[in-house]
Amino acid sequence: MPPLEEVIIIGSGWAGSTLATSLDETKYTITVISPETTTPYTPLLASAACGLYDFNIVETPIRHTSKKIKFVKAQVEDIDFKAKAVNCIPAFVDLPVKDFVLSYDIVVIAPGSTNNTFNTPGVAEHAVFLRNAKDAMKIASRIQDCFEKASIPGLTEAQQRSLLHFVIVGAGPTGVEVSSELSDLFATSYAALYPHLKPYVSIAVHDVANQVLSGFDTKLQDYAMSSFTKRNVEVLTRSHIERVEKDCLCTKENGKINAGLVIWATGNKSTALVDSLAVKKTPRNPRILTDSFLRVYTPSSELLHGVYAIGDAADVEDARLPTTAEVACQKAKYLAKLLNGKVEEEFRYQQAAIVAYLGQNDGVVSGKKDYSGRQAWIAWRSKNFLWTRTWRQKVLIVIGWALDLVTGRAIAPR
Ligand SMILES: Cc1cc2nc3c(=O)[nH]c(=O)nc-3n(C[C@H](O)[C@H](O)[C@H](O)COP(=O)(O)OP(=O)(O)OC[C@H]3O[C@@H](n4cnc5c(N)ncnc54)[C@H](O)[C@@H]3O)c2cc1C
């Protein structure tokens, strides 16, 4: 039997993990390289941060018991396309090996994207992001700290209000969902446990744009705006954040605003690996440009043999696809079929529904068909269920819903 071809997948996110589990192990040796040992189920993170789901179900290990996937916990620093090799640095600083090289027949570049701070001073130090289970846990524990601090005797009402002011920067689907989950959490579990603080709690969403949920239809944006008013969530559009400090943020329009927690959810920027690669890229906020078979070009538009790019890190020529898990998974499944020899035609994205939760069992759905209200909330919950991959996680999701109804949400990491 001829030796199996070596496939190296860079990244263990939605794209990398979907591809790794869909490739034919009888044809390929599959190696995933990533500094993260798990794939975060990003659509569930806001709910987990606000006590609806157990943190164990919002990520899944890349090492697979039933699939032959090799995993290397490392960062790819560079790809030598001529030598067909990737240069890596272990994700550990205390090893005698400082770097190493792995050869490939096929390389799939899927390092995703990273948080875009727009170079705003203080964001990296003082705000929190929401990308993985660790971030969700951090948010849950910071929220509880704010309530405990505000309960210390001797604080003035103004100091309590400052500690209990929660700011979300970014009014896209992630920012909107975080604000919705926070308002549900504060209206239920926290209201019951900290009744003395209820009048001092406030949530604000800031965005530089003049509307929320850009990408959704205007009617749904207006619907989302009215839901914020119902839930007492302040929305500050056209708000320019100039700086984030330990206990506050400074905006061009409103000056200094005290806050107990600032959650930064303003979108994506390219990773250091994508920035450094000499390949053809999209002009703004660079993503690797591929042809419709997801193959990567040199800067002079020649196809690189055996090099593919998928997920947030890449876009298909003339397609302008959004950076979503839907797109990442569809591309990964397509590429697996292509490499497994099960498909010959080009990749075409099948438009999927985009769902955003608005709190109080309300939501909006866009994409194939636009709708809002309770039906949209049911669609959102069904999607939560479908995103998870194992039966164990699906059972735990349903348990999360049941516990929410019976005992309320968990208020801190267990
Ligand atoms: C809070 C939140 C909620 C979301 N909700 C939804 C939703 O409801 N629906 C939806 O469709 N999309 C949603 N998204 C978007 C979705 O998560 C992304 O589009 C998706 O994760 C992209 O998958 P990816 O595999 O390209 O990148 P990622 O999932 O970001 O994974 C990239 C991986 O590459 C690794 N990596 C990075 N650099 C290197 C390197 N140099 N070497 C090796 N490995 C590297 C990273 O550690 C990571 O493991 C959400 C995103 C967030 C943050």
Side-chain angles (χ1 to χ4, degrees), residues 10-16 33-36 38-40 42-46 74-77 110-113 130-131 174 177 268 271 273 310-313 323-328 355 387:
I10 303 171
S12 61
W14 282 109
I33 307 174
S34 173
E36 301 296 333
T38 57
T39 306
T42 45
L44 310 187
L45 291 177
Q75 180 99 11
V76 173
E77 287 294 291
S113 50
L130 185 59
R131 286 251 161 202
T174 300
E177 271 182 25
N268 302 323
T271 58
L273 177 63
I310 55 175
D312 282 4
T323 49
T324 64
E326 283 287 355
V327 175
V355 192
W387 281 120

Side-chain angles (χ1 to χ4, degrees), residues 193-261:
L193 289 168
Y194 300 84
H196 55 293
L197 297 176
K198 201 175 166 201
Y200 311 139
V201 181
S202 57
I203 305 170
V205 180
H206 291 245
D207 200 301
V208 73
N210 59 0
Q211 86 281 39
V212 300
L213 289 179
S214 55
F216 283 67
D217 180 79
T218 331
K219 262 196 205 152
L220 295 181
Q221 291 174 347
D222 293 345
Y223 185 88
M225 279 305 267
S226 64
S227 91
F228 286 118
T229 317
K230 260 195 288 176
R231 288 181 289 119
N232 265 332
V233 174
E234 192 187 5
V235 181
L236 293 103
T237 51
R238 294 198 176 92
S239 175
H240 296 76
I241 314 295
E242 293 181 324
R243 203 167 64 250
V244 179
E245 293 178 5
K246 189 170 165 282
D247 305 311
C248 68
L249 68 162
C250 300
T251 74
K252 191 172 153 196
E253 293 75 16
N254 294 295
K256 183 178 165 191
I257 301 170
N258 292 330
L261 180 64

Side-chain angles (χ1 to χ4, degrees), residues 300-326:
S300 52
S301 301
E302 284 150 35
L303 280 172
L304 279 160
H305 183 68
V307 183
Y308 299 85
I310 55 175
D312 282 4
D315 199 5
V316 180
E317 230 168 6
D318 302 326
R320 299 187 61 156
L321 295 174
T323 49
T324 64
E326 283 287 355

Side-chain angles (χ1 to χ4, degrees), residues 164-194:
L164 297 174
H165 185 53
F166 297 87
V167 172
I168 296 114
V169 183
T174 300
V176 167
E177 271 182 25
V178 173
S179 75
S180 308
E181 291 286 11
L182 279 181
S183 54
D184 281 2
L185 176 67
F186 295 160
T188 55
S189 301
Y190 272 100
L193 289 168
Y194 300 84

